[in-house]
Amino acid sequence: MRRTAPALLALFLLTGCGTAAPTIDLDDPMGTAGDAATSIGAIDIRDAAIAPADDAEGGIAHPAGSDVGLRLVAVNNGDAADRLVSASSPLAEDVDVSGEQSLLGGATLLVGDTGSAVPAGAASVTRATVTLDDLRQALSVGPTYPVTLTFERAGSVTVELPVDNPDGR
């Protein structure tokens, strides 16, 4: 029993050390406690939000008719490659997904201005943009808004996203 305890402690301490996940720079202004996070299949979604407004007026962060980007970090914890194939939302007339949407096994996909630093030795990091085009309604800081992300293998997940509030940090 005495020999197994140190071995179990070493195994516990080493678990997760080889994962190529992004690190968040705490001095960077992105990422708030209210950001959305969820999982679908082997994909973890975190630090997800609608981009902050440049100049919010009257409590409106993004007026109807405007285009606004999303930001999020997607980590593929599985061995099989996946791909962000589309996004949709009742908030927008169209949702544009562009850039490198592939997500190899063990890889990270950064969408928008995530503020995430790429870790040294990361197996694979890709970057994409997701834009809500021609908003059907004004968006405010406070409520959350539904956006559905669809991955080729993992499937679809609807995430309730807040509007990032750079003044609320």
Side-chain angles (χ1 to χ4, degrees), residues 32 34-36 46-52 69-72 161-165:
T32 63
D35 290 348
R46 59 181 181 235
D47 303 324
I50 297 169
L70 304 183
R71 65 170 178 78
L72 62 92
L161 299 180
V163 174
D164 192 16
N165 182 6

Side-chain angles (χ1 to χ4, degrees), residues 4 13 17 68 99 118:
T4 59
L13 293 174
C17 291
V68 63
V118 178

